Amino acid sequence: MTNSSARLLIVGPQGSGKGTQGVRVASALRIPVVSTGDIFRANIKEGTELGQKVTAILDAGDLVPDELTSEIVRDRLSQDDAQGGFLLDGYPRNTAQVAHLDEYLSGRGVALDAVLLLDVPRPESIARLRQRALEQGRSDDTEETIARRLDIYEQETAPILEVYGQRGIVDHIDGVGSLNEVTERIAAALSARGVLATA
Ligand code: ADP
């Protein structure tokens, strides 16, 4: 699989497996993953100024302010390795962030090629997150925070799909199945768009 100019976004509820699938797809396409959750967690771990600013927000399951998040993403997307494409995971997460991203990308004369929506029913998401809490102990995988994050997803993130849907770039992917099955569904959707050349 080769393609050097794919600009992708992967969206799905918490527990949908978008992080795992995003890494797989991006490595097949040789493009970097830009995950806002990973960027924030790395900063928290390293105790940077940004990390200190966002720790309490992540632990509560709330969203980091849009301006701050968008600035971080713009900086990341401006780096050399993202010029030939990228896969966004976790950003944009509401319509204000869509507007920020649109402004940035259109200023550079580019646009997203596809938005991969991983569909997973809420009970399945909750079950997977409980399992992850047992295995990984992520500090935002508590019962209360999981419910809060899923609520925010349904209220704030799901509406971005209407915006991208109107542009005709959303691919609905059934996220229930084995990791490989889901990866194959994504690969099929991308190749139907001519984004992914299967080798
Ligand atoms: P999940 O999708 O399981 O909530 P992420 O790793 O995508 O996990 O995000 C973890 C946390 O990081 C979010 O709950 C939020 O606090 C913060 N975050 C990530 N992306 C964004 C964003 N685009 N805007 C605001 N906050 C964000």
Side-chain angles (χ1 to χ4, degrees):
M1 294 191 275
T2 52
N3 185 302
S4 59
S5 65
R7 293 181 180 83
L8 307 176
L9 163 63
I10 191 161
V11 185
Q14 288 69 18
S16 61
K18 70 182 167 60
T20 307
Q21 295 295 339
V23 167
R24 287 179 164 216
V25 172
S27 73
L29 291 167
R30 296 191 178 83
I31 51 177
V33 174
V34 176
S35 160
T36 42
D38 284 352
I39 293 172
F40 291 137
R41 279 186 293 274
N43 277 273
I44 289 172
K45 204 169 153 202
E46 287 158 23
T48 66
E49 199 180 319
L50 171 66
Q52 289 170 18
K53 222 186 259 184
V54 301
T55 302
I57 300 176
L58 264 77
D59 281 346
D62 287 329
L63 293 189
V64 173
D66 293 333
E67 279 297 343
L68 179 58
T69 308
S70 292
E71 189 188 324
I72 287 160
V73 173
R74 280 194 299 268
D75 283 351
R76 179 64 189 88
L77 293 182
S78 302
Q79 289 170 21
D80 284 351
D81 66 333
Q83 301 319 302
F86 51 78
L87 180 141
L88 286 165
D89 168 4
Y91 179 94
R93 221 174 178 94
N94 57 29
T95 50
Q97 294 180 7
V98 170
H100 292 166
L101 180 65
D102 278 348
E103 196 187 333
Y104 174 80
L105 292 179
S106 64
R108 305 197 143 218
V110 296
L112 291 180
D113 297 302
V115 176
L116 301 163
L117 168 63
L118 274 188
D119 274 324
V120 174
R122 184 164 172 139
E124 169 85 14
S125 291
I126 292 176
R128 290 185 187 178
L129 291 169
R130 282 189 183 136
Q131 188 59 34
R132 186 170 78 186
L134 292 175
E135 289 167 4
Q136 297 177 13
R138 223 174 91 171
S139 66
D140 60 350
D141 279 347
T142 63
E143 282 297 311
E144 205 188 348
T145 310
I146 287 170
R148 170 110 189 103
R149 282 152 57 215
L150 283 167
D151 286 344
I152 293 178
Y153 177 80
E154 283 161 17
Q155 288 159 20
E156 295 196 35
T157 307
I160 77 171
L161 296 164
E162 276 173 41
V163 179
Y164 288 127
Q166 282 166 5
R167 298 181 196 172
I169 57 171
V170 177
D171 285 317
H172 289 254
I173 311 289
D174 179 1
V176 181
S178 71
L179 280 181
N180 285 343
E181 278 165 354
V182 176
T183 306
E184 277 164 26
R185 289 175 198 146
I186 293 173
L190 289 177
S191 66
R193 283 187 185 278
V195 169
L196 190 67
T198 36

